[in-house]
């Protein structure tokens, strides 16, 4: 409206040539128009305008914009939520549920332990054999604890474990001897 | 594409491949583990584990902790090899071993044991998952040359297995046939 008003006043049956007087007059009209319309331009303050045709009721109700995250107006604003359009058929459901990426993967890294025959994973120690070694280790540690007899008495020499009926050899000299009163197990060879 | 977040400097993207603010959330290519309550907590945890390993020479923990601790255990031996007169070595041993009798063990027992080794002082094996509800991946880590029974027993081939007995019989029979054939050849060569 601002520029149209200037055009109408400027081109009412005049020649196309613009003289300085005409330019000044147009400029004055522009300034006057701007001054008169200043209030209209700034009040109400510029607010975002919907570029899309939307129903009048939402999200503006009663002339004010409503915060869509305001939970008290939740029911008014569920227009904007995603919802399935149609029922998923059982065929489509089966395709999704039975897709190989959802099924349990087959492990090909399971082997039989050559010592005990239990199952083990290839990159993991056999559970049965490890339990066996762990129990014996715990018993040896118990003997060490009894020999040290207290805290902060850790030995500064090597340790040799001897079983029933074994005598220290020249390889064991200089080591502290830990004795276990049982027969030497087959999986704990001397050397 | 991602610079829509507004990189305020005018530097080219190629100078800093991952210096955008999303770099804090994405951890592509980062190899350092985060353990405990923070970096100091992780170091304290490693210190406890190293102390336990030096005391017991074989311990079992979770795989990540054993893997993380391995480096510190081996570096401690390297420092131990420098000898107890070395100032830095003593300070390191003092920090890393919380039980002070283990400092003696490190310098007098472990360092001479590995004097001829160049690295590779520890063995780490994976063991079946923990029996708890968490089913955590476990590992056992030990210093080589410990007095306990070995975790891996190398399988020696016995002569008494069926296959070896059959092969032995085949070898003996072939020898017998060869020694039987040799006297036949000699008269022919004499003729020529």
């Amino acid at each position: 409206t601002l520029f149209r008003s200037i055009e109408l006043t400027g081109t009412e049956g005049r020649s196309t040539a613009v003289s300085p007087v005409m330019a000044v007059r147009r400029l004055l009209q522009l300034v006057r128009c701007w001054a008169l319309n200043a209030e209209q331009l700034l009040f109400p303050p510029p607010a975002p305008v919907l570029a899309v045709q939307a129903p009048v009721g939402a999200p503006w109700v009663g002339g004010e914009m409503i915060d869509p995250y305001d939970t008290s107006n939740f029911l008014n604003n569920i227009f904007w939520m995603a919802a399935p359009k149609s029922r998923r058929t059982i065929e489509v459901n089966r395709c999704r549920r039975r897709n190989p990426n959802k099924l349990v993967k087959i492990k090909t890294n399971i082997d039989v332990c050559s010592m005990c025959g239990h199952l083990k994973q290839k990159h993991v120690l056999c559970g049965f054999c490890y339990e066996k070694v762990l129990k014996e280790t715990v018993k040896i540690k118990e003997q060490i604890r009894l020999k040290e007899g207290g805290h902060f008495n850790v030995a500064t020499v090597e340790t040799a474990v001897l079983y029933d009926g074994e005598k220290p050899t020249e390889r064991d000299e200089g080591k502290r001897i830990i004795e276990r009163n049982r027969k030497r197990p087959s999986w704990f060879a001397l050397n | 594409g991602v610079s829509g977040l507004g990189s305020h400097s005018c530097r080219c993207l190629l100078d800093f491949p991952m210096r955008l603010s999303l770099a804090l959330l994405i951890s592509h290519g980062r190899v350092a583990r985060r353990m405990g309550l923070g970096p100091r907590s992780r170091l304290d945890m490693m210190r406890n584990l190293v102390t336990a390993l030096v005391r017991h020479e074989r311990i079992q923990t979770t795989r990540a902790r054993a893997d993380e601790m391995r480096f510190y255990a081996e570096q401690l031996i390297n420092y131990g090899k420098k000898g107890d007169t070395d100032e830095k070595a003593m300070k390191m041993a003092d920090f890393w071993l919380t039980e002070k009798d283990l400092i003696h063990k490190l310098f007098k027992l472990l360092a001479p044991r590995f004097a001829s080794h160049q690295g590779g002082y520890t063995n780490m094996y994976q063991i079946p998952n923990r029996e708890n509800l968490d089913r955590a991946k476990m590992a056992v880590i030990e210093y080589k040359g410990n007095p306990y029974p070995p975790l891996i027993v190398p399988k020696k081939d016995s002569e008494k297995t069926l296959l070896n007995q059959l092969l032995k019989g085949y070898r003996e029979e072939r020898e017998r046939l060869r020694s039987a054939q040799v006297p036949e050849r000699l008269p022919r060569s004499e003729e020529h």
Side-chain angles (χ1 to χ4, degrees):
Chain A
T1 41
L2 187 63
F3 295 106
R4 275 190 75 200
S5 62
I6 293 163
E7 266 185 26
L8 283 168
T9 50
T11 56
E12 271 175 4
R14 306 290 166 110
S15 64
T16 50
V18 175
S19 64
V21 179
M22 288 294 294
V24 170
R25 210 182 278 173
R26 276 192 198 162
L27 192 66
L28 282 174
Q29 277 171 5
L30 190 76
V31 172
R32 208 193 314 142
C33 235
W34 181 77
L36 284 172
N37 293 326
E39 270 189 42
Q40 285 176 29
L41 283 172
L42 293 171
F43 185 79
V49 182
L50 259 191
V52 173
Q53 295 296 317
V56 176
W60 280 284
V61 175
E64 284 173 353
M65 189 154 177
I66 287 170
D67 177 16
Y69 299 109
D70 183 7
T71 45
S72 61
N73 278 321
F74 175 69
L75 288 171
N76 290 343
N77 291 302
I78 55 177
F79 290 111
W80 311 107
M81 287 191 145
K85 194 75 186 171
S86 50
R87 180 204 160 104
R88 277 168 155 178
T89 58
I90 186 62
E91 293 88 3
V92 164
N93 282 341
R94 282 197 195 117
C95 286
R96 185 183 68 255
R97 290 167 194 163
R98 298 177 189 185
N99 190 26
N101 74 11
K102 292 210 172 166
L103 300 177
V104 174
K105 311 273 183 305
I106 299 171
K107 284 192 171 56
T108 54
N109 57 357
I110 302 176
D111 244 339
V112 171
C113 173
S114 55
M115 302 294 283
C116 63
H118 283 79
L119 294 174
K120 72 184 268 301
Q121 279 195 296
K122 286 182 188 163
H123 60 291
V124 176
L125 297 183
C126 168
F128 187 79
C129 298
Y130 176 71
E131 273 305 309
K132 204 170 59 181
V133 169
L134 181 68
K135 284 197 170 67
E136 185 58 31
T137 315
V138 164
K139 295 211 172 92
I140 294 172
K141 280 187 190 170
E142 181 60 32
Q143 290 294 105
I144 291 173
R145 189 184 71 86
L146 290 170
K147 185 137 191 179
E148 284 177 5
H151 291 290
F152 311 125
N153 290 338
V154 86
T156 50
V157 289
E158 297 273 1
T159 309
V161 182
L162 293 177
Y163 286 87
D164 264 346
E166 284 176 15
K167 297 282 177 292
T169 61
E170 81 275 352
R171 233 188 31 227
D172 299 334
E173 65 185 307
K175 296 185 186 179
R176 85 165 156 184
I177 307 295
I178 299 291
E179 273 160 22
R180 288 271 301 122
N181 52 356
R182 58 156 281 182
K183 189 172 76 86
R184 179 170 281 267
S186 57
W187 36 267
F188 189 8
L190 262 168
N191 53 340
Chain B
V2 199
S3 58
L5 295 162
S7 40
H8 298 292
S9 59
C10 301
R11 284 171 230 178
C12 172
L13 257 180
L14 296 168
D15 294 343
F16 305 103
M18 205 54 184
R19 281 287 171 268
L20 312 170
S21 55
L22 267 183
L24 293 165
L25 305 168
I26 298 173
S27 77
H28 289 171
R30 302 210 189 162
V31 295
R33 284 194 187 91
R34 294 195 277 177
M35 287 181 172
L37 311 162
R40 187 62 214 238
S41 168
R42 178 187 148 267
L43 279 175
D44 288 338
M45 201 194 292
M46 291 301 114
R47 187 168 51 174
N48 288 340
L49 285 168
V50 166
T51 306
L53 182 65
V54 171
R55 168 155 243 117
H56 297 118
E57 295 194 40
R58 181 187 283 174
I59 58 173
Q60 83 176 29
T61 62
T62 60
R63 260 179 226 175
R65 286 180 194 171
D67 191 52
E68 197 77 6
M69 193 257 280
R70 211 173 174 191
F71 168 76
Y72 294 108
E74 302 202 340
Q75 283 295 331
L76 187 66
I77 301 284
N78 284 338
Y79 272 105
K81 280 187 187 177
K82 291 184 185 175
D84 54 1
T85 46
D86 190 54
E87 191 56 48
K88 183 78 192 283
M90 192 45 95
K91 275 189 182 168
M92 277 291 180
D94 186 47
F95 176 79
W96 280 96
L97 299 169
T98 53
E99 291 159 24
K100 303 307 169 188
D101 55 330
L102 296 174
I103 299 177
H104 295 278
K105 182 174 175 181
L106 172 71
F107 286 111
K108 292 175 188 168
L109 178 63
L110 293 177
R113 189 202 278 181
F114 297 121
S116 52
H117 287 55
Q118 184 71 29
Y121 314 122
T122 55
N123 277 333
M124 189 176 100
Y125 303 110
Q126 296 181 6
I127 52 183
N129 291 358
R130 205 193 259 157
E131 291 304 318
N132 290 0
L133 187 64
D134 65 1
R135 306 297 293 172
K137 295 183 182 176
M138 298 293 278
V140 55
I141 183 167
E142 59 170 10
Y143 275 125
K144 290 179 184 168
N146 59 70
Y148 305 123
L151 288 164
I152 290 192
V153 181
K155 197 166 164 223
K156 273 173 287 197
D157 219 3
S158 160
E159 213 196 66
K160 304 223 173 68
T161 59
L162 177 64
L163 184 61
N164 284 346
Q165 287 286 296
L166 290 170
L167 284 170
K168 189 176 153 195
Y170 172 74
R171 257 182 257 125
E172 282 168 5
E173 185 154 339
R174 205 176 57 182
E175 275 303 309
R176 217 177 324 117
L177 284 173
R178 201 176 285 156
S179 55
Q181 272 178 2
V182 160
E184 287 180 10
R185 279 199 215 126
L186 280 171
R188 277 190 213 159
S189 65
E190 277 181 4
E191 282 175 11
H192 293 290

